[in-house]
Amino acid sequence: MSMKDRLVDQAKKLASSGRVVRVVSNDRVMRLATGVMDAKNRLRAAGERAAEAWDILLNGHALPNIDPALDDEAGVHGAAPARAASHRPAAGGAGLSTVEEAVSSSSSKAPPASARAHVNGVGANGAANGAGANGAGTYVAAAAEQQLATQMASRTSLARIGGRDVFEKAYKFMTADNARAMGVYPFFRPLDFNNGPEAQLEGRTVTMLGSNNYLGLTTHPKVREAARNAIDKYGTSMTGSRLVNGSMRLHNELEEKLAAYHGKEAGLVFTTGYQVNIATISALLSNKRSVAMIDKDDHASIYDGVRLAQASGARMVRYKHSDPAALDSALSEIADTEGALVITDGVFSAQGEIANLPGIVEVVKKHKARLLVDDAHALGVIGPGGRGTAAHFGLGKEVDLIGGTFSKSLASIGGWLVGERKVLDYIQHFAYSFLFAASAAPPCVAAAMAALEVMQEEPWRQEKLRENFTYMRTELQRLGFELGKTETAVIPIYIRDDLKTVMMWKSLLDDYALYVNPFITPGVPPKQQVLRTSYMATHERKHLDHALEAFEKVGKKFGVI
């Protein structure tokens, strides 16, 4: 027997010995071996995390791609320690450890017809497939569904792809194309027209539970007439910024009315609501001694405003959602030479939750900070006369700045800010996104002004709105849906899974002509996916009862209730 044969024979005996068998069958040893064999991937992942940590150290906490809180608790004052993130499994069960693996698992071709016809076990006509009726079709559907789920999980990482061609990430983004091919793409759907509680989509009438037209004023005769008259008198646009030729008496008139309505010294009208936060935050937080102190769940426009401020050296600190104690802790840590602007939504746009403004105001006063409240989803919904969050709590004089949009209760397009005259005067002279943007168009300003007047002339609208959303909240909870802490016209139905959220949206629309908005990552944090519903004063009980019937049937079909 050769030396080689003897060595092989001894190795076989050793491998079959009881001691070796016990060692290799030990779970801890196997995990260690697996870790060693996977060392290359682990080192690569650790390198990516280290690079990201270094970037955060230099530039502050990384901002999300679309909306805040991709990592739900990272860098948040008052939050529990973050848990290690886990990768979602691919179709074969393996974790996706890199962007490239996620992208390579995605096909650029449309899925087969059988996949489009049997997604998630539901046929094109909405009927559930029998267990053995179409085994192959169900298998293909499951594979297509898993592929879509994988792509949805990976798309937030695409933004990190770099290289010589900045378009590379765009070419690798296949999620939307494949979702369109499968008939489950929920975004950018063009409406034929929207008439308030009902709309027309692709020639079909749908019940609208996806609009922020809270008081139903977009179709009010007075609002429409005001817009028409403004076009006749002023034309369609001022074709310039407020700084030069874009200001008109109509802007000033609305600013005065908004200030008086909120009991503030002055008002300022913007071209969009998004612009309000970008301009205000970047103008006020313009140096290294400025700190943006923001609620973790604040709107994306606030995060974008902070991003601009960071370019001038300002810092961002996030505090735990609607938690005055966490805010107090965060403010306690800023230097004596730093000034803080605390920024919070009045009503949070995805949750429908009202901010804990009394607690926030107390902390802000304690630390001699300043406070900005974004009342986009509060105006017309809460507070006496629909005046919003500060008025709801009787704190109108305690809030420094209140801002919002025309595009909800005011039935138009534009934005507004109220506060001290000197502060607003500074903003309009130092906010580039205000100085160099075309002014709000005459018909938009006139429509918003008319809506503000109707809101005060017809208080029944706010009362009817409260009646409608209270009824829906009560009935949805009775059915067993999880709704979070909503207290307003925004009622989120928590699904907590991207794909299931999209599939339920599709079933509600296709089978029951019910239009709702699916909120999935990265627009919301992981495990916070919802079907966002919103209600109007002009919804009738027949609309609401139809919606409840649809929610009950679809919720049971997908195992949510």
Side-chain angles (χ1 to χ4, degrees):
M1 181 180 292
S2 67
M3 177 65 73
K4 179 181 178 181
D5 291 338
R6 285 198 297 272
L7 289 173
V8 171
D9 186 56
Q10 289 175 2
K12 288 181 178 178
K13 290 179 181 178
L14 180 62
S16 61
S17 68
R19 180 175 297 177
V20 172
V21 169
R22 284 194 298 273
V23 170
V24 300
S25 61
N26 185 285
D27 187 52
R28 286 177 293 181
V29 174
M30 291 303 295
R31 286 201 299 268
L32 176 62
T34 300
V36 171
M37 289 186 287
D38 194 40
K40 181 179 178 181
N41 288 336
R42 288 170 180 265
L43 286 172
R44 178 175 57 191
E48 291 174 354
R49 288 195 295 271
E52 183 175 0
W54 180 248
D55 182 64
I56 291 172
L57 185 64
L58 292 176
N59 303 313
H61 194 279
L63 288 170
N65 300 321
I66 297 181
D67 245 0
L70 285 179
D71 184 348
D72 196 25
E73 304 295 355
V76 179
H77 265 266
R83 295 185 296 273
S86 59
H87 296 292
R88 294 192 183 189
L96 293 174
S97 59
T98 67
V99 172
E100 290 78 7
E101 289 172 332
V103 172
S104 65
S105 71
S106 307
S107 169
S108 62
K109 299 178 181 178
S114 55
R116 295 195 297 270
H118 299 89
V119 179
N120 202 36
V122 180
N125 60 359
N129 295 316
N134 190 344
T138 302
Y139 175 81
V140 172
E145 176 186 325
Q146 183 59 63
Q147 179 192 49
L148 182 59
T150 298
Q151 293 167 342
M152 292 170 80
S154 69
R155 70 196 187 286
T156 59
S157 300
L158 283 170
R160 298 183 181 184
I161 292 178
R164 295 290 297 176
D165 187 357
V166 296
F167 285 3
E168 180 184 2
K169 61 180 73 69
Y171 299 137
K172 290 184 176 181
F173 174 55
M174 297 308 305
T175 309
D177 285 341
N178 289 342
R180 290 186 189 103
M182 294 171 67
V184 294
Y185 184 69
F187 307 118
F188 302 104
R189 299 288 294 265
L191 295 171
D192 302 326
F193 67 85
N194 184 2
N195 199 28
E198 293 183 351
Q200 191 171 84
L201 175 66
E202 297 169 357
R204 182 186 184 200
T205 299
V206 297
T207 299
M208 175 55 70
L209 297 190
S211 171
N212 298 319
N213 184 17
Y214 297 127
L215 299 179
L217 295 180
T218 58
T219 58
H220 194 285
K222 182 174 180 177
V223 175
R224 289 186 166 184
E225 182 182 12
R228 282 193 296 266
N229 290 343
I231 290 177
D232 291 341
K233 184 174 182 179
Y234 302 106
T236 56
S237 171
M238 295 302 293
T239 65
S241 71
R242 294 287 304 273
L243 177 67
V244 285
N245 68 296
S247 288
M248 56 183 178
R249 293 190 184 278
L250 199 62
H251 288 110
N252 297 138
E253 185 180 352
L254 179 54
E255 288 167 347
E256 292 169 3
K257 289 185 176 181
L258 284 165
Y261 176 69
H262 286 282
K264 294 294 185 183
E265 186 180 6
L268 192 59
V269 166
F270 294 75
T271 312
T272 69
Y274 207 99
Q275 183 194 33
V276 172
N277 286 327
I278 290 177
T280 302
I281 296 168
S282 62
L284 294 176
L285 305 179
S286 56
N287 55 59
K288 293 182 179 180
R289 295 185 299 279
S290 303
V291 181
M293 198 72 64
I294 66 175
D295 187 294
K296 176 181 71 67
D297 288 354
D298 274 347
H299 190 264
S301 59
I302 293 173
Y303 274 82
D304 271 355
V306 173
R307 184 183 283 113
L308 276 179
Q310 285 179 311
S312 299
R315 290 197 299 122
M316 175 181 73
V317 178
R318 300 195 302 167
Y319 64 89
K320 188 177 179 182
H321 173 55
S322 206
D323 188 333
L327 174 61
D328 187 23
S329 173
L331 284 169
S332 298
E333 295 181 10
I334 70 171
D336 292 339
T337 56
E338 291 181 313
L341 177 64
V342 177
I343 313 161
T344 182
D345 287 3
V347 170
F348 290 87
S349 61
Q351 302 102 315
E353 180 184 353
I354 303 174
N356 183 355
L357 200 57
I360 292 170
V361 165
E362 182 180 354
V363 172
V364 167
K365 297 299 180 185
K366 171 185 174 182
H367 292 277
K368 296 181 172 58
R370 294 293 185 176
L371 178 60
L372 165 62
V373 175
D374 181 344
D375 254 358
H377 293 270
L379 184 74
V381 179
I382 61 174
R387 285 175 174 80
T389 312
H392 174 74
F393 290 109
L395 295 170
K397 295 181 180 180
E398 308 301 321
V399 176
D400 298 298
L401 296 170
I402 305 173
T405 178
F406 297 169
S407 64
K408 276 74 177 178
S409 292
L410 293 182
S412 185
I413 289 291
W416 56 274
L417 182 71
V418 295
E420 290 184 56
R421 185 194 68 80
K422 287 293 292 181
V423 177
L424 269 57
D425 193 38
Y426 177 88
I427 292 169
Q428 74 174 358
H429 283 92
F430 284 86
Y432 287 179
S433 52
F434 178 83
L435 282 169
F436 303 112
S439 65
C444 297
V445 176
M449 186 150 46
L452 183 65
E453 293 169 0
V454 172
M455 211 163 67
Q456 298 169 79
E457 294 165 356
E458 301 180 5
W460 67 264
R461 290 179 179 271
Q462 189 185 352
E463 295 167 8
K464 182 62 177 177
L465 174 63
R466 175 170 292 279
E467 177 187 319
N468 283 345
F469 70 68
T470 301
Y471 174 72
M472 288 300 293
R473 183 178 65 221
T474 301
E475 291 302 304
L476 287 168
Q477 288 174 332
R478 181 185 61 79
L479 290 174
F481 286 104
E482 181 187 356
L483 307 181
K485 299 178 180 180
T486 179
E487 305 170 72
T488 63
V490 175
I491 300 182
I493 299 175
Y494 283 86
I495 311 300
R496 303 194 184 281
D497 177 83
D498 278 335
L499 194 61
K500 185 178 288 188
T501 301
V502 172
M503 297 312 300
M504 288 183 68
W505 160 83
K506 177 176 171 58
S507 182
L508 288 166
L509 184 59
D510 289 353
D511 304 335
Y512 299 97
L514 186 63
Y515 191 108
V516 301
N517 292 314
F519 277 26
I520 59 177
T521 58
V524 294
K527 298 298 180 183
Q528 298 296 312
Q529 298 89 338
V530 300
L531 291 172
R532 181 189 184 273
T533 68
S534 50
Y535 300 90
M536 310 178 207
T538 47
H539 274 130
E540 299 175 17
R541 187 55 61 91
K542 66 178 181 180
H543 299 123
L544 306 182
D545 287 341
H546 166 68
L548 289 169
E549 179 184 1
F551 283 130
E552 181 176 16
K553 291 180 178 178
V554 173
K556 289 179 177 178
K557 181 169 77 172
F558 286 90
V560 174
I561 56 173

